[in-house]
Amino acid sequence: MKHVRLRAMEPEDLDLLYRIENDSQLWGVGATNVPYSRYLLHEYISNATGDIYTDRQVRLMIENEEGQVVGIADVMNFDPRHLRAELGIVIERAYRRQGYATDAIRQILDYARKVLHLHQLYAFVGCDNHASMELFSKVGFTREEELKDWLYDGKDYHSAIVMQYLLN
C-alpha cells in the first residue's frame, strides 16, 4: 500500500488546483460546474484560514512518498452542532488506483475522530462511479440511500449514493 502525507494548501499548489477545479470531467461528480480563474483560486488559497470552524471546510493536499502532490481531499460542509462533515477526494489521473486515496481517507478518518471529534463523515457518490463506491466501501463507509437525479452534468441528471462512516 502507498503511504501519503496530508498537508495544508500552499501557493505552489495553484497549478494543480487550477487543473482539478477546471477539469470538466469532474464537474458531474461534485458541486463545481463552472471554470475558476487563477486569480479566484489564488484568492481562495490566500484567504483560507485552515480553521474548519471558520471556513466550515478544510482542504488537504495529498503527497506521495516522493513529495509529489497526487491529489486533494476536502472535508467540507462541516456541521459543528451535529458533528458531521462531507468528504470529497480527487486523485490525479496518473496516480489513480495505486492506493493513495485509500491511505488518504484512512488518515482523514483518524483526523476526524481524534482531532475534530466528528461523529460521522459522508460522501455523495454517483451511481455510475463504481471505482469511488469500491474505494469508500473498502475503508468502511456504508451505502445508505440513493438520491434520484442528485448530480447534474450540464446535460443530464444522475442519481447518487450517500455513503456514510460512523466514527464513534
Side-chain angles (χ1 to χ4, degrees), residues 26-59:
L26 297 174
W27 292 353
V29 299
T32 301
N33 62 0
V34 296
Y36 284 96
S37 70
R38 285 186 186 280
Y39 174 79
L40 284 176
L41 293 172
H42 180 270
E43 290 297 302
Y44 170 75
I45 292 171
S46 297
N47 294 321
T49 67
D51 179 0
I52 197 166
Y53 288 92
T54 300
D55 298 339
R56 296 292 191 242
Q57 71 172 31
V58 63
R59 176 164 274 182

Side-chain angles (χ1 to χ4, degrees), residues 30-162:
T32 301
N33 62 0
V34 296
Y36 284 96
S37 70
R38 285 186 186 280
Y39 174 79
L40 284 176
L41 293 172
H42 180 270
E43 290 297 302
Y44 170 75
I45 292 171
S46 297
N47 294 321
T49 67
D51 179 0
I52 197 166
Y53 288 92
T54 300
D55 298 339
R56 296 292 191 242
Q57 71 172 31
V58 63
R59 176 164 274 182
L60 300 165
M61 306 309 290
I62 304 167
E63 287 185 348
N64 66 12
E65 292 167 325
E66 291 78 37
Q68 300 163 308
V69 178
V70 298
I72 300 173
D74 287 311
V75 179
M76 58 201 161
N77 296 321
F78 171 62
D79 184 333
R81 180 170 185 250
H82 299 291
L83 298 174
R84 66 177 171 241
E86 181 179 352
L87 175 60
I89 189 165
V90 175
I91 300 294
E92 288 252 83
R93 279 184 185 80
Y95 298 102
R96 289 183 186 163
R97 300 191 84 64
Q98 296 179 37
Y100 294 120
T102 302
D103 191 46
I105 292 173
R106 286 184 175 139
Q107 288 185 41
I108 290 166
L109 290 170
D110 195 51
Y111 171 73
R113 180 183 297 109
K114 294 179 180 173
V115 177
L116 300 177
H117 307 289
L118 294 182
H119 174 63
Q120 62 183 290
L121 283 173
Y122 60 92
F124 297 106
V125 180
C127 287
D128 58 348
N129 191 342
H130 302 291
S132 288
M133 278 194 258
E134 180 183 314
L135 167 68
F136 282 105
S137 293
K138 179 179 179 179
V139 295
F141 279 70
T142 57
R143 180 183 169 134
E144 297 301 328
E145 291 293 326
E146 183 174 333
L147 302 168
K148 301 289 185 199
D149 293 347
W150 192 254
L151 303 170
Y152 183 63
D153 66 9
K155 290 189 259 180
D156 298 305
Y157 287 95
H158 303 273
S159 297
I161 300 296
V162 178

Side-chain angles (χ1 to χ4, degrees), residues 4-15:
V4 299
R5 181 174 83 92
L6 303 176
R7 64 162 176 80
M9 282 186 306
E10 297 288 348
E12 297 79 27
D13 298 319
L14 179 61
D15 289 337

